[in-house]
């Protein structure tokens, strides 16, 4: 085989990181994303236990391969934001449940569109609105669908109206 041809062939070869190539995750994005989520949760646990660490240092301390740091630290940042938002929405849900306006259930804060957080609190049957939805971009608003209160495209704001907490308590 001529030397020039070998150089050309090497130049075109895809570069794969040792971790994704060894595990075979480069062909399965869902598995890679799941692994990043699990790594992100473990990094977030470590950062909460040691507040002086940032997510990159926590990934190093846990011994994750460098090639996985970007995805794992992104997932850890999202997990930390979700954990920060959860107490506020849980307190609001508890207040509404005590007033008899909402069902008492655990509120899940979710990431919407990859960068924004949203949570939904379902109202009791017979209330004028179906749910109270919190979005970190817009604040509190009411939702129209009991099955999918957050909505598929929250940026469209195709819901009833933007509500404040005082409006909800007046209902």
């Amino acid at each position: 085989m001529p030397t020039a041809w070998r150089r050309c062939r090497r130049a075109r070869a895809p570069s794969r990181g040792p971790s994704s190539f060894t595990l075979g995750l480069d062909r399965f994005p869902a598995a890679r994303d799941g692994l990043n989520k699990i790594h992100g949760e473990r990094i977030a646990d470590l950062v909460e236990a040691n507040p002086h660490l940032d997510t990159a240092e926590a990934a190093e301390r846990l011994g994750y391969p460098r090639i996985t740091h970007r995805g794992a630290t992104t997932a850890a940042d999202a997990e930390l934001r979700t954990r920060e938002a959860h107490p506020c929405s849980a307190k609001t849900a508890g207040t509404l449940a005590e007033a008899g306006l909402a069902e008492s259930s655990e509120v899940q804060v979710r990431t919407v569109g990859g960068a924004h957080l949203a949570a939904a609190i379902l109202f009791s049957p017979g209330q004028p609105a179906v749910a109270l939805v919190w979005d970190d971009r817009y604040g509190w608003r009411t939702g129209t669908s009991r099955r999918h209160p957050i909505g598929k495209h929250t940026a469209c704001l195709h819901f009833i109206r933007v509500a404040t907490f005082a409006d909800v308590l007046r209902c």
Side-chain angles (χ1 to χ4, degrees), residues 39-78:
H39 285 176
E41 289 172 359
R42 290 191 60 207
I43 290 170
D45 291 339
L46 185 60
V47 168
E48 281 185 342
N50 301 314
H52 66 278
L53 289 176
D54 69 344
T55 54
E57 292 170 346
E60 282 288 329
R61 186 175 283 188
L62 289 170
Y64 295 142
R66 280 199 175 274
I67 195 161
T68 64
H69 283 198
R70 186 183 337 167
T73 56
T74 302
D77 291 335

